[in-house]
Amino acid sequence: MGTDPHESAKRGHRRPVGKRRKHHGPPASEAWGWFTRELINSPAFRALSGNGKNVVFRLLEEHMAHGGEANGELIVTHKQFAAYGIRLASVAQAIREAEYLGFISVNRGIAYKGGHEPNLYRLTWIGDFRDAPPTNNWKGIGEPQILFWKDQNKRKAAQKRSRKAKTRPIGTGKVVPLRA
């Protein structure tokens, strides 16, 4: 035997299945979620911002809180997203990003005088509460869509900056002489 700690793996040695399951399967005593290797290596997931990932993780946490039975009817408020670590002013943009990149779908609620109906969220790589199969919308997102999304965001940010610059008061309008 050499000193290489991975030598047995290179030769194809494997542990018995029972021991492997004990330490490598999902925990039996708590809720758990999953991501496939294909999903986390996809261009869409790599393009997802930190806030976008926090939206996905918070929705996965909500899915687990309901025993994995409410996908498609997940309700998370903007304040709950903010408590999870997203700036409140950035929540809507992060939700739009996660939706555009195909990781969530949003059934938008409505607000009316005297009340409102909340948004209902679905994680697209997991089947929904009606036993519909996963839609995996993220698989259809490639580099062209990602570049389009980033370009749109740059344009919106530039427009917002130019609007702020136009409305910013520069002075009082009084001319002050340089020398008296």
Side-chain angles (χ1 to χ4, degrees), residues 14-25:
R14 297 184 136 206
R15 290 186 181 146
V17 172
K19 287 185 180 180
R20 215 168 15 125
R21 276 202 193 122
K22 180 180 177 184
H23 300 292
H24 297 286

Side-chain angles (χ1 to χ4, degrees), residues 70-151:
N71 195 24
E73 291 188 324
L74 301 172
I75 298 172
V76 179
T77 66
H78 280 227
K79 287 183 181 178
Q80 289 172 320
F81 282 121
Y84 199 73
I86 304 170
R87 249 179 11 111
L88 192 56
S90 302
V91 170
Q93 174 65 18
I95 292 170
R96 284 192 297 270
E97 177 187 17
E99 185 177 23
Y100 179 83
L101 293 175
F103 295 104
I104 66 172
S105 62
V106 183
N107 184 2
R108 304 228 186 280
I110 57 171
Y112 50 88
K113 187 174 183 176
H116 68 280
E117 295 177 13
N119 292 342
L120 301 177
Y121 299 94
R122 178 182 184 195
L123 301 166
T124 62
W125 71 95
I126 300 171
D128 73 3
F129 70 100
R130 294 184 193 103
D131 290 327
T135 60
N136 289 319
N137 297 342
W138 55 271
K139 287 184 178 182
I141 303 296
E143 293 300 325
Q145 292 91 345
I146 293 167
L147 292 173
F148 176 77
W149 174 258
K150 289 180 178 180
D151 184 53

Side-chain angles (χ1 to χ4, degrees), residues 25-42:
S29 61
E30 62 182 287
W32 57 278
W34 53 270
F35 293 103
T36 63
R37 185 175 187 194
E38 181 184 15
L39 185 142
I40 62 173
N41 287 322
S42 70

Side-chain angles (χ1 to χ4, degrees), residues 40-51:
I40 62 173
N41 287 322
S42 70
F45 193 79
R46 285 183 279 130
L48 198 59
S49 69
N51 282 341

Side-chain angles (χ1 to χ4, degrees), residues 54-68:
N54 278 343
V55 164
V56 171
F57 294 148
R58 178 59 181 91
L59 288 170
L60 183 60
E61 192 278 328
E62 189 70 17
H63 178 64
M64 291 185 287
H66 292 281

